Structure formats: structure tokens, C-alpha cells
Amino acid sequence: MIKDLPPALRADVERQAGMIARRQISRASLSADLARMEVRAGRWQRVHPRVYATFSGPLPRVSQIWAALLYAGDGATLSHETAAELWGILDASPRRIQVTIPVHRRVASLASVQIHYATRLDESRHPTRFPPITRPEDTILDLIDRAGRPEQVVSLLTVACQRRRTTPERLGIALDARKKIRWRKTINEILSEVSAGAESPLEVAYVRKVERAHGLPEGRRQRRHQVGGRSNRTDVEYDAYKLIVELDGRLGHETDGKFRDYQRDNLATTRGRDTLRYGWTDTTTNSCRVAAQVAQVLRANGWTSWAGPCGPTCAVGEVVA
């Protein structure tokens, strides 16, 4: 049936991954009963109220996305998790397609479509991408505004920058353009650390929980070296004290007992070697002990200051043996 549509409408349907809205049919001066007849004949299928697929069978993801946009109507823009999925910031497809529309309109959310409202959608929408989608920076800030934990803020910012979907500078500009947003102070702190070279939630955690909290010297982040003709990067390097800290970023795949495994290897380093390795649990749960271990190696290699405890139960200052 699509071949029998007027050329302009047929082009719209092809561009919309086979989806069509009833208002488009009306604008093309076609019968209001066209969609109903095609559905009855089994050639089309109703996807949402007043939105149809011009084919039978399963809907590909791109068709589902277009169906949501057509349902939401004028000014509809992909946002939040769906925009993050399309930008490659999130790896999983959200259960509900997330769409933002101008605040002066009202559209009911559906089981498969979540509607959001925005006052500055024209500014946050990407100027050229199609289908309409919020800019990477605004997508990240929209998600952060709904985040419940600071760890989520860290993860979103670092992943987006590490995957080169945006930069700390562009995120800072987008942040300044917003009058209200949750976690503003945390965002600014994390952007500063990412600008300094931290590329992952684990690296940010090391800066905040180990280095800064205990008064350790600031290491150089993500330093590149040529080893045997191949490029290699170190996570944290203390040049003056010949110490490298490598961070294993397998977030969520470690147990509390993993610290003992790393400790066995790292104790050898405290007796003269110059590489320490830590994982997520080490850095976040055992950060004081990690700081004590790093401080011990730094002092053995010439650091003349002292690490300070971050609190009354902090292990910094104890001898690590």
C-alpha cells in the first residue's frame, strides 16, 4: 500500500522507518478511514493511538522510536535513556522510549513511551541529528538530574567523556545554561577531575577517596609511554617518587575478599618494586588502607611529607606489613 501513497507522504513514511501518523494522512487529503481499512486488511498495524506501521510483523527498534515520536507530536525529541542509547553512552535499550516535548503541550505517557516536558527544548535539541534528539551534553545532564546516588553522576560523566561523546568543556557550558539541576557541585568537581585526566569512575574514586582525602601528592593521569614500539598508558604516575598506580576498573565484578588478593601482590611492591594495583572494592571500601600503602611506597622513594587520616578510624599512619 505504501507505493500508492502520494510521493511526499511516501517519502515521509520511508524516512520514518515505515511509520505514519493519522494527522499526516489527513494533511495529504486522504480518507480518514485509510488507516482503519489497511489495519483490517492486515497490511498495516496500529502501534499507538493515531500511529500506524505500514507493514505487518515485528517492529524494528528504529520503527518503535519513530512510533513514539509520532505519537508525541510536534516538537517531540528523543531524550534521557533513549537519547543516551543512541549516542552510545548507555549500552542497554530502556524498556520505555523516552521523549521530551515542549512544556506548553500535554501528551499522556504510555506503557512503552515516557513523556517528559522541557521549557528550553529548542536549545537542548541537536540542530542537525535525525530523528530529533537532545545533544549529548543535555542528555547526560537530564539523566544526572534524576540520579539518586553520586556514583551514578560519576559514571555518566566519565563514560561519556571516555567514549568521546562530549568533553568536560562542553558539559560545563551546558551546565551553566541550566538554572536548576541536582548535583551541580558534584558535577563541577567531577568535570574538574576528568579535565585533569581521570577517565573512569574508578579513577575519580581514587582521586577523591585515596589521594585527596589523605593529603597524598597529585599523580599524573593517563600518561602515555612507548614500550617495545607499542603505546602504553599508566593510570596514575608519581614521577618524582618512581611509583605507578594501576587501577582495574571491572566495576561491580569484585568481592570484598579481592582486596586480600591484591594485597599479596602489593606487599612485594612495598619492599622495593614500584607498581601498585587496585580494584574497585579496594579503592572505594578500603580506601584508607590503600592510601596507607601508597604513602608507604612514596616515603620509601623520597616523599618527605606525611599522609593525613581522613577520619578517626582511618588506617593512614599505620604500618602496612
Side-chain angles (χ1 to χ4, degrees):
M1 176 58 198
I2 186 174
K3 66 179 183 299
D4 297 327
L5 297 174
L9 183 55
R10 184 167 66 247
D12 285 342
V13 171
E14 291 173 349
R15 184 182 60 162
Q16 295 162 183
M19 309 308 298
I20 192 170
R22 185 184 296 172
R23 65 182 177 276
Q24 293 178 302
I25 296 173
S26 299
R27 289 171 185 168
S29 300
L30 297 176
S31 170
D33 293 329
L34 172 63
R36 184 163 54 251
M37 291 187 297
E38 291 299 320
V39 170
R40 286 177 180 172
R43 290 185 289 266
W44 289 13
Q45 54 185 312
R46 180 180 179 275
V47 181
H48 301 311
R50 302 172 297 283
V51 178
Y52 305 88
T54 60
F55 56 88
S56 59
L59 269 63
R61 181 67 173 169
V62 64
S63 298
Q64 297 173 27
I65 286 172
W66 267 111
L69 286 169
L70 291 173
Y71 167 74
D74 294 339
T77 303
L78 299 171
S79 64
H80 296 82
E81 287 86 357
T82 302
E85 168 198 353
L86 297 181
W87 284 119
I89 298 166
L90 297 180
D91 296 325
S93 298
R95 183 179 64 85
R96 302 175 83 183
I97 294 173
Q98 308 289 312
V99 178
T100 296
I101 63 175
V103 71
H104 65 270
R105 298 182 56 238
R106 282 295 180 267
V107 177
S109 294
L110 303 174
S112 60
V113 181
Q114 176 69 50
I115 302 295
H116 305 269
Y117 302 93
T119 57
R120 51 182 300 277
L121 187 55
D122 288 342
E123 289 79 13
S124 62
R125 184 188 299 114
H126 194 279
T128 60
R129 286 293 291 255
F130 193 79
I133 187 172
T134 51
R135 299 171 186 264
E137 299 77 30
D138 288 284
T139 298
I140 295 160
L141 294 179
D142 285 341
L143 293 176
I144 287 175
D145 204 32
R146 299 196 300 170
R149 304 189 313 276
E151 292 82 1
Q152 294 173 291
V153 179
V154 175
S155 180
L156 285 164
L157 293 173
T158 54
V159 167
C161 293
Q162 185 182 44
R163 295 183 179 182
R164 302 186 186 281
R165 301 303 186 264
T166 185
T167 66
E169 292 74 23
R170 294 206 299 266
L171 282 163
I173 292 170
L175 179 64
D176 290 342
R178 297 202 175 200
K179 293 182 179 179
K180 293 183 179 180
I181 187 171
R182 294 186 68 198
W183 306 106
R184 185 181 295 274
K185 181 180 178 181
T186 301
I187 296 169
N188 278 318
E189 290 174 354
I190 302 306
L191 290 180
S192 175
E193 288 153 10
V194 173
S195 294
E199 290 192 354
S200 71
L202 179 55
E203 290 176 43
V204 172
Y206 180 85
V207 173
R208 294 162 69 89
K209 290 178 171 289
V210 176
E211 214 175 67
R212 189 175 299 162
H214 298 92
L216 298 179
E218 182 178 347
R220 295 183 61 180
R221 321 280 170 211
Q222 296 297 325
R223 189 177 184 186
R224 289 187 177 274
H225 301 272
Q226 290 293 326
V227 180
R230 302 179 64 178
S231 179
N232 182 51
R233 289 196 302 181
T234 54
D235 291 329
V236 185
E237 188 163 353
Y238 300 94
D239 292 330
Y241 311 111
K242 300 178 181 179
L243 173 62
I244 293 171
V245 174
E246 297 287 6
L247 302 169
D248 183 348
R250 292 176 293 174
L251 179 59
H253 295 281
E254 297 191 26
T255 62
D256 292 341
K258 195 66 174 286
F259 180 79
R260 292 190 296 271
D261 296 332
Y262 282 113
Q263 188 181 42
R264 189 183 306 113
D265 297 332
N266 293 341
L267 287 177
T269 304
T270 65
R271 293 190 292 271
R273 300 178 66 86
D274 57 4
T275 299
L276 295 172
R277 300 181 183 274
Y278 301 105
W280 180 259
T281 301
D282 307 341
T283 306
T284 58
T285 305
N286 300 292
S287 56
C288 297
R289 202 160 164 79
V290 168
Q293 205 169 68
V294 171
Q296 184 174 336
V297 178
L298 289 172
R299 286 190 58 80
N301 290 347
W303 187 45
T304 57
S305 298
W306 290 89
C310 65
T313 61
C314 181
V316 166
E318 298 177 6
V319 176
V320 180

